[in-house]
């Protein structure tokens, strides 16, 4: 590789790292579990299939590079959203995150 090619590769990698756009890998099963949990518990406020939230945060706009913020908000609650940490397991919260990141494919 030439120096210019190496520099271009490094520059591209730095842009990806800075933007937080590394794709997160979730299984279809995990996304489906998240969708099911969402439909039963979250849709009344955040909208069916995350569309048209009724005054709640629009999860379609949630920053995909902030999984810790999402987990913390779900576990401990935020603003008028109650804490769900006592109801959902870590795996279930991770499945919800998978669903939010993957989006609704239907």
């Amino acid at each position: 590789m030439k120096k210019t090619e190496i520099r271009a590769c490094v520059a591209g990698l730095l842009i990806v790292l800075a933007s937080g756009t590394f794709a997160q890998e979730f299984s279809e099963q995990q996304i489906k579990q998240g969708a099911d949990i969402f439909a039963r518990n979250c849709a009344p406020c955040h909208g069916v299939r995350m569309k048209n939230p009724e005054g709640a945060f629009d999860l379609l706009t949630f920053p995909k590079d902030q999984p810790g913020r999402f987990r913390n908000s779900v576990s401990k609650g935020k603003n008028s959203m109650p804490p769900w940490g006592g109801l959902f397991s870590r795996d279930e919260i991770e499945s919800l995150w998978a669903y939010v990141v993957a989006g609704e494919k239907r």
Side-chain angles (χ1 to χ4, degrees), residues 27-88:
S27 70
E28 287 299 316
Q29 165 118 15
Q30 192 175 25
I31 295 167
K32 183 183 179 332
Q33 179 186 21
D36 292 344
I37 294 168
F38 185 92
R40 285 190 312 271
N41 301 281
C42 311
C45 296
H46 291 282
V48 174
R49 298 183 177 146
M50 294 188 285
K51 293 188 171 79
N52 303 316
E54 296 295 322
F57 188 87
D58 181 354
L59 291 171
L60 293 173
T61 67
F62 196 93
K64 307 301 186 231
D65 63 343
Q66 296 184 18
R69 179 177 153 208
F70 177 85
R71 291 179 194 111
N72 189 54
S73 296
V74 172
S75 296
K76 298 180 179 178
K78 178 144 186 164
N79 299 327
S80 60
M81 185 175 87
W84 294 89
L87 179 64
F88 299 145

Side-chain angles (χ1 to χ4, degrees), residues 1-18:
M1 261 188 156
K2 296 178 183 178
K3 283 185 180 180
T4 55
E5 292 172 328
I6 293 171
R7 286 185 187 137
C9 287
V10 170
L13 179 60
L14 290 174
I15 290 169
V16 168
L17 286 171

